[in-house]
Amino acid sequence: MNLQKRIPALLSGILLLFCMSAVSGYADEYQNMRDEVVMLVNEQRTANGQTPLYESEFLNHAAQIRAEEIKVTFSHTRPDGRKGYSIMEELGGSYWYVGENIAYGYPTESSVMEAWMDSSGHRANILNENYHAVGIGVFESENIYYWVQLFTDGEGLSPIYTSGNLNIDNACNSEDAALILTEAANAGAGGNSILNRMQKSFADINRDSKVDSSDAAMVLQYAAYAGSGGTESVENYFKLS
């Protein structure tokens, strides 16, 4: 069996549940790969006239469990015989629409995305207008990567990244400003980037296609505002369109 070619069948479902609890602070050594897959998904959605999806911490956690499960049973059915989307219920999730793409044997984010987009069923999931949130599972074992995309309508979920919040702590504060300043200093010195593409997109507060000290200053200004009890979002506070 050629692992570079195998892609499974499509799963897409509709179910009504009633509660959602977020999993806080979920990130691991695969986070940069998750972020890049989401960037590639949104590039495809934008090119095809669909709104971008936001990356969900809850869905990342659910998809990561599924990625480890598909090493055992490469199927939309879980190793214990339950449907793949039962992971949502198991973790306390709710949704109106849900879909799952799975694959293995693809070594990079771009290669697995290319394979999914070349498959009509998986492409339909990626471009589905009913989905607003996505989570990515990535698991490597014996140099083989296992991949999961878990899509929902976003019922009860919130984004893992927001403007100025780069370190997945649900706050825009001095820690984020420090990351921006370090990134800018490294770029100026020709050094390595410390932020991935996803993080850079949320670090560019003033939307001038650069990550620099002016963005850090805006983060600190907003942090002072939020610290004094302000509740506007970064976008509303700076009147960003």
Side-chain angles (χ1 to χ4, degrees):
M1 182 182 301
N2 187 338
L3 296 180
Q4 299 299 322
K5 296 294 184 182
R6 183 168 184 178
I7 304 178
L10 171 74
L11 175 80
S12 183
I14 303 172
L15 189 66
L16 176 62
L17 299 173
F18 297 99
C19 66
M20 174 67 70
S21 60
V23 179
S24 61
Y26 185 77
D28 57 22
E29 68 270 24
Y30 300 115
Q31 189 59 46
N32 284 336
M33 300 178 81
R34 291 190 189 96
D35 291 349
E36 181 61 19
V37 171
V38 176
M39 291 292 289
L40 294 170
V41 165
N42 284 334
E43 287 172 359
Q44 291 292 339
R45 287 180 66 88
T46 299
N48 286 275
Q50 297 296 335
T51 58
L53 305 179
Y54 63 81
E55 184 179 358
S56 159
E57 201 165 31
F58 178 92
L59 293 180
N60 278 349
H61 187 195
Q64 188 61 32
I65 293 172
R66 289 288 297 129
E68 295 176 24
E69 289 180 345
I70 65 171
K71 178 184 181 295
V72 179
T73 304
F74 187 67
S75 171
H76 293 294
T77 300
R78 301 177 69 185
D80 64 4
R82 290 181 294 166
K83 296 293 187 182
Y85 55 70
S86 69
I87 188 62
M88 295 286 293
E89 302 164 53
E90 183 177 304
L91 296 178
S94 67
Y95 53 86
W96 292 90
Y97 298 93
V98 64
E100 179 184 76
N101 286 344
I102 63 177
Y104 79 91
Y106 297 90
T108 64
E109 303 93 329
S110 59
S111 64
V112 73
M113 271 297 298
E114 181 178 356
W116 276 327
M117 289 301 294
D118 284 343
S119 164
S120 60
H122 299 85
R123 177 188 175 93
N125 257 353
I126 290 168
L127 302 181
N128 192 317
E129 66 181 7
N130 293 313
Y131 297 145
H132 301 292
V134 65
I136 308 299
V138 189
F139 180 64
E140 182 272 327
S141 177
E142 298 179 342
N143 294 318
I144 297 173
Y145 282 90
Y146 298 81
W147 304 87
V148 173
Q149 293 175 320
L150 189 58
F151 305 91
T152 77
D153 56 280
E155 173 74 16
L157 296 174
S158 58
I160 191 172
Y161 293 108
T162 54
S163 293
N165 173 28
L166 315 179
N167 58 359
I168 318 179
D169 66 353
N170 297 315
C172 174
N173 56 31
S174 59
E175 294 182 10
D176 301 296
L179 288 172
I180 291 172
L181 289 173
T182 302
E183 174 71 19
N186 284 0
N192 294 328
S193 176
I194 65 166
L195 301 179
N196 63 37
R197 285 207 302 154
M198 177 75 79
Q199 291 169 315
K200 288 178 183 177
S201 71
F202 287 100
D204 182 19
I205 308 297
N206 60 8
R207 301 178 182 176
D208 64 353
S209 301
K210 296 183 295 183
V211 176
D212 56 23
S213 59
S214 61
D215 298 301
M218 293 175 77
V219 167
L220 292 174
Q221 181 181 339
Y222 179 79
Y225 159 76
S228 65
T231 59
E232 293 278 5
S233 67
V234 170
E235 287 80 6
N236 289 340
Y237 178 71
F238 288 112
K239 295 181 172 55
L240 302 173
S241 58

